């Protein structure tokens, strides 16, 4: 099952921060990000799903821009990995 974490509750729709599943409580979950810079938005998502009773086992980013995300996740005790980094796309 998949879910997404909204930045805030909207005035319409289901009016939930975590949407897509009835509950994440008791589940082991991964947070997926397209691009990470500082990791701030993913850390907020981690905090939200932890508060809802889930265990975050990984934050996975498609691209880490190498601007502090890995350090932020380490400080928050969140496993982090990226498929690519900015360096994979930069030419020397």
């Amino acid at each position: 099952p998949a879910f997404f974490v909204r930045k805030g509750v909207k005035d319409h729709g289901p009016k939930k921060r975590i949407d897509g599943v009835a509950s994440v409580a008791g589940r082991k979950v991964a947070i997926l990000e397209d691009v990470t810079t500082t990791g701030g938005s993913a850390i907020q998502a981690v905090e939200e799903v932890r508060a809802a009773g889930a265990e975050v086992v990984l934050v996975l980013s498609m691209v880490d821009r190498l601007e502090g995300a890995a350090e932020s996740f380490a400080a928050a005790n969140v496993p982090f990995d990226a498929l690519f980094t900015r360096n994979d796309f930069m030419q020397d």
Side-chain angles (χ1 to χ4, degrees):
F3 64 91
F4 58 96
V5 181
R6 298 181 187 277
K7 289 183 181 179
V9 175
K10 298 191 182 245
D11 292 335
H12 60 280
K15 299 181 181 175
K16 300 186 327 185
R17 291 270 327 259
I18 301 172
D19 197 6
V21 294
S23 174
V24 295
R27 296 181 185 227
K28 293 182 179 184
V29 303
I31 304 293
L32 303 176
E33 281 278 274
D34 53 353
V35 177
T36 50
T37 304
T38 63
S41 61
I43 293 286
Q44 289 176 2
V46 166
E47 291 169 352
E48 190 69 25
V49 298
R50 281 179 171 170
E55 177 187 352
V56 177
V57 297
L58 177 67
V59 171
L60 178 64
S61 177
M62 299 300 131
V63 180
D64 180 3
R65 293 182 63 187
L66 301 175
E67 295 182 20
E71 294 80 6
S72 295
F73 294 121
N77 197 31
V78 177
F80 171 69
D81 202 357
L83 298 178
F84 302 98
T85 71
R86 172 183 65 203
N87 294 342
D88 292 316
F89 301 99
M90 305 294 287
Q91 293 184 329
D92 294 333

